[in-house]
Amino acid sequence: MSTATAQAPTPGGVRRPGVRARTAPDRPLLGTLGILALLLSWEAVPRLGIVPERYFPPVSEVLTTLVERAGTAPFWEAVGHTLYGWALGLAIAFAAAVLLGFVLGSTPRVRAFTTSTVDFLRPIPSVALIPLAVLMYGTDIRSTLLLVIYACFWLIYIQVLYGVADVDPVAEQTARSYGLGRLSRIRHVVWPTTLPYLMTGLRLAAAVGLILSITAQLIIGSPGIGQQITNAQQGGAVALVYAWIVATGILGVVINIGVRALERRVLRWHTSVRGEAAA
Amino acid sequence: MLKVTGLQKIYNGGSTAVEAVRDLTFELAEGELVCLVGPSGCGKTTLLKCIAGLMTPTGGTVELAGEPVLSPPPGMAVVFQEYGRSLFPWMSVRANVELPLKEKKLPRARREELVTESLEAVGLTAFSDSYPWQLSGGMQQRVAIARAIAYEPQVLLMDEPFAAVDAQTRADLEDLVREIWQRLGVTVLFVTHDIDEAVYLGERVLVLSNSPTVVQDDVTVDLPAERDQLGTRQDERFTRLRARVYAQIQQAKKGTAPAPA
């Protein structure tokens, strides 16, 4: 935090709030204020009757419902189902994309041969496969997996292709001149070069995978948060629908924070993470 | 030790073939420090890549200790000009130096010994756990030199290694190369475009012609073995050699290869 240096610690080492430098905006503070403002308006809008409370219950009611539910086993079961479909699908997509990306990416002929196919398959939205998934697997978890894997695979695969192609010729020549064989070069040169791309792909795929996991449950009706939302809707439990929506939002934020942390750890040497090097 | 015979390299760029190197023949005796100068664009880098086994020449041969060079030979280490791209940013200084030794399957103890010695030789012992990008340009090139000497090569190739560092650092690094060469007795081929640097460093200077390249002149540097940045550069012999190489390069640029003076 850039303001930290301008701040003098008070005796006893406790930093007093309110003596911050006025130059740079305080991100966490502004962020908290923003959320508070959002919550306040969410509370106010239905209470003031701007939007009917029936369709848009105030936030206090939604959060109360959420907390109530969070104390029950079925809630965590649904969250577990959703996360399981997400994690397994993401892991399979990741492994397949990395493997294929490295193999196809490092053989230019095969890459050129498959490019048109990839360009055709890639834009097909995963949700278009829902009828197919239902035909094949019904409401089984494999339906969810199919959608998650299909969506995540392309996101990661394309990044891996770019990464593999981005190897610095000087680094490559250095490795060759020091006698590094093909496998060693993949491990010590190509893989680290691809990592930043791979992490970008993983971050995108993690978010999209969660969306698809919930979508599949919502539409196909396989167990999980999506299915719970449909159930709540059909039972007319409006506050519960919102509670689940809020829960998915929180889940998304948590996943994003997790992937970001992983990225910072894995790429601590990379320009995007290390910042300006102190020489 | 290193023998280049009739080396030719033609780049096939579709319909137009470019002859970068025409007919290069020269030899480095064991333990010699030879500088290679030539006008810019004369194919120095092409030549070096052919010698390093990173590029297949169109014609001619390269031999290292009697063995033909067809792929990067184990007895050769290369220091590239682009230290920032040649060192791996994802590895610490120590790991960068150690990687080729791991590849050589040296036992751990021996690897540590070599890494420690070579980092000491370039004066970077305190930075072994830093990452290359935390160091200055000159220090990074020192790491690359440490990596090269830890590899224990018979021949050390240096491709304009100091072209991207500032003048003061450059002087220090030049002295470092002389020092390492004298201490290890390694054969060094030092490619540069800087005439002063070539004369200051080398025991011999090979002057290359304009592309398509041939060896235009082979100058023996009769300077004392102990050189220093101030004294040597003011030495009358230094100035004379410098003038000779300079004149050759000028003629090389005009494309007329005169009889060696």
Side-chain angles (χ1 to χ4, degrees), chain A residues 105-161:
Chain A
S106 42
T107 33
R109 270 168 196 278
V110 185
R111 188 184 172 173
F113 181 72
T114 51
T115 301
S116 48
T117 314
V118 170
D119 285 345
F120 170 71
L121 291 176
R122 196 160 57 105
I124 297 177
S126 219
V127 285
L129 301 180
I130 289 180
L132 181 69
V134 173
L135 265 183
M136 286 163 66
Y137 306 120
T139 59
D140 196 82
I141 186 166
R142 283 177 293 175
S143 291
T144 311
L145 284 181
L146 178 72
L147 302 195
V148 174
I149 292 171
Y150 191 86
C152 294
F153 174 80
W154 299 115
L155 289 172
I156 304 175
Y157 178 71
I158 294 295
Q159 292 293 330
V160 172
L161 283 190

Side-chain angles (χ1 to χ4, degrees), chain A residues 77-124:
Chain A
E77 222 168 90
V79 171
H81 279 301
T82 299
L83 281 182
Y84 180 66
W86 167 79
L88 189 59
L90 186 62
I92 294 173
F94 183 86
V98 169
L99 199 70
L100 279 174
F102 267 77
V103 172
L104 299 192
S106 42
T107 33
R109 270 168 196 278
V110 185
R111 188 184 172 173
F113 181 72
T114 51
T115 301
S116 48
T117 314
V118 170
D119 285 345
F120 170 71
L121 291 176
R122 196 160 57 105
I124 297 177

Side-chain angles (χ1 to χ4, degrees), chain B:
Chain B
M1 175 54 62
L2 181 71
K3 195 173 170 187
V4 176
T5 318
L7 195 83
Q8 185 193 34
K9 178 68 190 178
I10 298 170
Y11 285 103
N12 257 322
S15 57
T16 51
V18 179
E19 188 181 26
V21 175
R22 175 163 289 170
D23 180 14
L24 275 176
T25 302
F26 61 87
E27 199 171 338
L28 266 69
E30 187 169 354
E32 220 181 353
L33 199 175
V34 174
C35 290
L36 206 71
V37 271
S40 58
C42 77
K44 294 189 289 278
T45 300
T46 304
L47 168 65
L48 201 109
K49 280 182 184 159
C50 288
I51 295 177
L54 293 168
M55 191 184 266
T56 317
T58 313
T61 54
V62 177
E63 277 172 50
L64 175 67
E67 294 287 317
V69 172
L70 303 168
S71 61
M76 204 182 267
V78 188
V79 175
F80 292 88
Q81 178 186 338
E82 303 96 334
Y83 47 80
R85 292 161 61 196
S86 172
L87 295 172
F88 301 144
W90 45 85
M91 287 182 184
S92 68
V93 165
R94 165 175 291 277
N96 263 289
V97 177
E98 197 181 6
L99 180 62
L101 310 180
K102 277 187 180 164
E103 208 56 31
K104 261 187 173 180
K105 310 250 186 295
L106 292 182
R108 190 190 176 83
R110 178 70 184 137
R111 292 203 307 259
E112 290 197 349
E113 198 180 329
L114 283 168
V115 171
T116 311
E117 273 173 19
S118 60
L119 284 178
E120 205 180 292
V122 299
L124 285 180
T125 311
F127 296 92
S128 63
D129 292 323
S130 303
Y131 283 88
W133 39 268
Q134 292 171 318
L135 309 178
S136 69
M139 286 157 93
Q140 290 182 40
Q141 196 55 293
R142 279 170 194 268
V143 177
I145 292 173
R147 177 172 63 185
I149 59 178
Y151 195 59
E152 296 186 297
Q154 296 165 284
V155 173
L156 179 58
L157 298 181
M158 306 187 88
D159 183 16
E160 304 202 28
F162 311 143
V165 297
D166 63 88
Q168 285 158 31
T169 310
R170 186 173 189 150
D172 292 343
L173 290 174
E174 285 167 2
D175 291 334
L176 177 70
V177 168
R178 289 279 306 177
E179 185 196 318
I180 285 170
W181 167 72
Q182 279 172 333
R183 214 172 60 193
L184 303 180
V186 63
T187 312
V188 181
L189 181 62
F190 190 103
V191 176
T192 177
H193 61 261
D194 185 324
I195 298 162
D196 285 53
E197 185 169 79
V199 174
Y200 179 77
L201 277 180
E203 300 295 294
R204 238 169 86 207
V205 176
L206 293 170
V207 183
L208 298 185
S209 74
N210 221 342
S211 186
T213 316
V214 297
V215 174
Q216 177 160 319
D217 197 4
D218 185 340
V219 185
T220 304
V221 179
D222 53 349
L223 290 169
E226 289 305 320
R227 300 182 188 175
D228 75 281
Q229 293 287 349
L230 268 183
T232 307
R233 285 178 194 271
Q234 282 169 350
D235 193 316
E236 196 198 323
R237 278 173 293 179
F238 179 86
T239 352
R240 211 176 50 235
L241 286 163
R242 187 184 169 282
R244 174 171 163 190
V245 175
Y246 185 81
Q248 289 291 335
I249 299 258
Q250 287 307 314
Q251 269 165 333
K253 279 190 199 161
K254 287 181 201 131
T256 51

